[in-house]
Amino acid sequence: MKKISYSILLVSGLAFGQFFEKGKTFTKQDTLKGSNTEFRNFWDVKKYELSVEPDFQQKSISGNNKISFEITKDISNPVFQIDLQQPMKADKVEGSFPIANYKQDGDFIWITTHKKFKKGEKYSINITYSGNPVIAKRAPWDGGWIFTTDEKGNPWMSVADEGIGASVWLPTKDIWSDEPDNGIIMKIITPKDLVGVGNGRLISKKTENNKNIFTWEVKNPINAYSIIPNIGKYVNFKDSYTGEKGKLDLDHWVIDYNLDKAKKQFQQVKPMLKAFEYWFGPYPFYEDSYKLVESPHLGMEHQSNIAYGNGYQNGYLGRDLSGTGVGLNWDFIIIHESGHEWFANNITAKDQADMWIHEAFTNYSEVLFTENYMDKKSADIYAQGIQNNIENDVPIIGKYGVRNEGSGDMYAKGASMIHTMRQIINDDAKFREILRGLNKDFYHQTVTTEQVEKYISEKAGFDFTSIFNQYLRTTDVPVLEYAQKGTELKYRFVKGVKNLNLPIRFGEYTISPNESWQTLKLKNSTPVEFNKNYYLRYNKVQ
């Protein structure tokens, strides 16, 4: 017992240390949450089989989660780390193998073993949990559970936890790089007059002890923060879409009094699917269906369970985030959150620091949808408009291994970077092949920035390394300084990374600026007009 206790105390000590990086403080607890530590790196999650029952009056939840996993390397007497954030509690921990001891310490459950595990062996851990979870103050941004009422005073409950982590309520291996390969089974237990809606497909509904039990199944890998129960006075309507992989079931759940509004507004789903399957390839989760679920917050990209709370209106709560008017032609939440089914849910970043992979491509999906739904001119206007939302406060890539997101510029600046790269490629057939290739070659995988950068450069036949460095890793925007005298154009880059390789096309000309002044002989003295689709700043000098 002394050895067991020592192991747990050692882990406990790790949880409360600190280290400092470039002026920002991270704790060892952040490292334990954000890194593939020695307590995580020897087992791979295969499936979650969970139940959840919320109590509206007590603002509490209870349930259990059976975590099935496979051992990935030979190891003796390991300590397992399961994440469950305070004030949630593990009431019971059982395993399909002998557990020497377990202890909940802070936001973690430590499971100590006295056993030799062999690579390829399969086991499970079953955790019964309960408590009053963190309540979201401003969902979906801050994260936590939502206990509210609909317009008729009926209980309405859900959770949003992308940033804070699924372990804010559910005992999990809460790291983006390890998704349950074989999906999940989720039972949602509700009062008899309410409905529970989860991810994937509803495979059973029954009533026991005056309570409803709704069982949902996801067959595909799923990121933990997408595992979301919704409880309310829901009604359902169905449709289907004939896509690249055949019939895709559309399965929408909305609060009962909004049914007519939803049937009208959700007509945008089919043109959205048409556009995104064209640009990105087949919807990644045909087996699990496509689903919009009305939520008590604005929206989130929960896989096959997209949270919709945009008030059945176009734009972003009726506004156009691009400031151009173009975005008022479609419902921002339907388009943006659905785009995440390809970038975030199909292709998922291994580390939260690389969250730009989710948001940059999805923000750019708004441009691509506009081009398909409206026209190229409108799409370019929208793309140019979103540049005005860029703050250039801190780099887009965050700190690795500590659950740290980079700048919110991962949205607009990330999309503007992609739009700039599209101008450089100057071949939309090739650009489309790259987007579809990403979703095919990294299908249902977790990835790193390095993998995405390398893939795009190889497929484009152009080294985008300096461009990724410029836009993802600095806050500087390249400035093209130029001077025109008659038919002579002089130009150079300032505020560019070293050896920035960013050729610029305008009219019939292409220039490749660097830090030194260069000269281009123009065909006439008409003042030059540069292409606004590049994310650059232009500065005319004397």
Side-chain angles (χ1 to χ4, degrees):
M1 284 299 294
K2 287 183 180 180
K3 187 174 182 181
I4 297 169
S5 299
Y6 177 76
S7 298
I8 293 176
L9 287 170
L10 176 64
V11 173
S12 176
L14 285 173
F16 297 104
Q18 290 187 344
F19 70 92
F20 299 86
E21 184 173 348
K22 294 184 179 178
K24 184 168 183 178
T25 302
F26 294 101
T27 66
K28 284 293 183 180
Q29 181 164 303
D30 293 323
T31 301
L32 288 169
K33 288 182 177 180
S35 298
N36 191 25
T37 64
E38 62 184 291
F39 313 111
R40 288 169 159 171
N41 65 8
F42 61 93
W43 56 288
D44 176 42
V45 176
K46 292 300 179 184
K47 193 168 189 175
Y48 292 132
E49 297 172 75
L50 65 114
S51 70
V52 57
E53 180 177 3
D55 185 315
F56 183 78
Q57 297 300 327
Q58 300 298 320
K59 292 183 171 53
S60 66
I61 57 172
S62 61
N64 71 281
N65 189 16
K66 179 183 177 183
I67 305 171
S68 299
F69 60 91
E70 181 175 326
I71 300 296
T72 58
K73 63 181 180 181
D74 293 352
I75 190 167
S76 297
N77 308 325
V79 175
F80 289 80
Q81 172 188 332
I82 307 294
D83 305 285
L84 183 62
Q85 296 180 39
Q86 301 179 75
M88 296 298 296
K89 294 182 178 180
D91 300 315
K92 183 189 295 184
V93 177
E94 301 171 299
S96 62
F97 55 92
I99 292 178
N101 199 359
Y102 76 87
K103 179 178 180 179
Q104 186 167 356
D105 188 358
D107 292 338
F108 311 102
I109 304 166
W110 303 105
I111 300 173
T112 307
T113 67
H114 281 174
K115 175 179 168 54
K116 292 184 178 180
F117 292 84
K118 297 291 186 182
K119 180 180 179 179
E121 292 178 342
K122 296 179 180 179
Y123 299 97
S124 64
I125 296 170
N126 196 357
I127 301 175
T128 303
Y129 67 93
S130 65
N132 295 91
V134 170
I135 303 296
K137 296 178 181 178
R138 188 171 172 262
W141 296 281
D142 63 335
W145 264 77
I146 304 149
F147 294 91
T148 188
T149 57
D150 64 23
E151 293 177 6
K152 293 186 176 180
N154 299 303
W156 196 5
M157 295 166 279
S158 188
V159 60
D161 54 29
E162 178 183 27
I164 196 171
S167 58
V168 74
W169 67 280
L170 182 69
T172 59
K173 186 180 184 181
D174 200 2
I175 186 170
W176 286 13
S177 59
D178 193 0
E179 301 179 346
D181 302 289
N182 300 323
I184 66 168
I185 298 286
M186 176 162 55
K187 292 183 179 180
I188 306 173
I189 303 168
T190 77
K192 196 173 182 179
D193 59 340
L194 297 179
V195 175
V197 183
N199 306 80
R201 295 182 184 273
L202 180 63
I203 59 173
S204 75
K205 175 193 172 183
K206 61 183 179 179
T207 302
E208 291 182 357
N209 300 321
N210 211 34
K211 295 179 181 180
N212 292 328
I213 303 174
F214 299 86
T215 302
W216 295 82
E217 180 181 24
V218 172
K219 293 186 177 181
N220 291 295
I222 182 170
N223 44 53
Y225 72 79
S226 278
I227 302 171
I228 300 293
N230 306 276
I231 299 94
K233 277 276 191 178
Y234 285 106
V235 293
N236 172 241
F237 70 99
K238 301 180 184 297
D239 201 347
S240 65
Y241 174 77
T242 303
E244 292 192 13
K245 290 178 67 175
K247 179 185 175 184
L248 172 61
D249 293 326
L250 312 180
D251 186 32
H252 306 311
W253 296 77
V254 300
I255 299 300
D256 51 7
Y257 51 77
N258 284 328
L259 181 60
D260 290 339
K261 290 181 183 179
K263 286 183 175 180
K264 180 179 179 181
Q265 192 72 2
F266 291 2
Q267 289 177 12
Q268 295 186 35
V269 167
K270 290 183 180 180
M272 174 276 298
L273 289 167
K274 176 176 178 289
F276 289 167
E277 286 210 330
Y278 173 81
W279 285 107
F280 302 149
Y283 174 74
F285 310 107
Y286 269 71
E287 300 86 353
D288 297 324
S289 81
Y290 171 90
K291 180 160 67 273
L292 290 173
V293 181
E294 188 170 359
S295 64
H297 59 80
L298 178 63
M300 271 291 294
E301 68 261 25
H302 308 136
Q303 184 175 314
S304 62
N305 182 18
I306 295 169
Y308 176 85
N310 201 36
Y312 302 100
Q313 58 189 323
N314 283 352
Y316 177 98
L317 294 174
R319 297 183 293 114
D320 174 17
L321 294 182
S322 77
T324 65
V326 174
L328 296 177
N329 290 282
W330 38 267
D331 189 312
F332 178 92
I333 294 299
I334 293 177
I335 305 310
H336 180 90
E337 304 304 348
S338 297
H340 276 306
E341 291 283 48
W342 285 263
F343 291 98
N345 298 341
N346 183 38
I347 304 172
T348 306
K350 286 183 180 294
D351 192 294
Q352 215 153 329
D354 287 337
M355 190 172 161
W356 77 270
I357 297 169
H358 301 186
E359 301 300 350
F361 286 99
T362 300
N363 201 214
Y364 196 65
S365 76
E366 301 159 27
V367 177
L368 297 174
F369 171 77
T370 300
E371 183 171 332
N372 194 279
Y373 187 60
M374 298 175 68
D375 52 64
K376 183 72 162 60
K377 180 179 179 181
S378 298
D380 285 344
I381 290 171
Y382 186 84
Q384 294 162 23
I386 62 177
Q387 292 183 13
N388 296 321
N389 297 323
I390 300 171
E391 296 185 0
N392 288 306
D393 50 355
V394 295
I396 286 176
I397 293 180
K399 302 295 187 293
Y400 289 100
V402 288
R403 288 189 70 92
N404 176 249
E405 298 173 9
S407 171
D409 280 347
M410 68 179 78
Y411 293 81
K413 186 177 180 181
S416 298
M417 176 187 72
I418 294 169
H419 198 51
T420 298
M421 293 163 63
R422 183 180 180 184
Q423 312 312 309
I424 294 170
I425 293 171
N426 194 28
D427 181 342
D428 276 354
K430 179 180 287 187
F431 180 68
R432 176 177 172 237
E433 285 177 7
I434 292 170
L435 295 176
R436 291 175 65 94
L438 282 166
N439 279 281
K440 180 181 178 181
D441 294 345
F442 296 119
Y443 183 72
H444 291 177
Q445 294 181 37
T446 60
V447 300
T448 64
T449 286
E450 181 182 5
Q451 287 177 287
V452 173
E453 289 183 2
K454 182 179 178 181
Y455 186 93
I456 293 174
S457 291
E458 287 181 352
K459 298 301 181 181
F462 180 91
D463 186 358
F464 282 108
T465 300
S466 64
I467 291 175
F468 285 122
N469 287 338
Q470 181 78 58
Y471 294 109
L472 297 180
R473 299 178 175 89
T474 81
T475 58
D476 292 327
V477 182
V479 178
L480 182 72
E481 288 191 338
Y482 70 98
Q484 183 180 358
K485 290 185 179 180
T487 59
E488 184 180 83
L489 178 71
K490 291 188 175 181
Y491 58 90
R492 70 173 181 177
F493 267 149
V494 295
K495 292 193 175 181
V497 297
K498 187 176 181 180
N499 299 321
L500 176 61
N501 182 16
L502 201 168
I504 302 170
R505 290 183 301 105
F506 60 98
E508 58 185 292
Y509 306 104
T510 300
I511 58 175
S512 296
N514 55 37
E515 296 175 359
S516 301
W517 286 103
Q518 299 180 62
T519 302
L520 174 68
K521 190 71 172 178
L522 302 169
K523 291 185 177 180
N524 57 59
S525 58
T526 303
V528 296
E529 292 186 13
F530 290 103
N531 187 341
K532 296 179 181 178
N533 287 306
Y534 292 86
Y535 180 49
L536 302 168
R537 290 177 180 153
Y538 300 99
N539 182 28
K540 186 176 182 179
V541 298
Q542 296 299 321

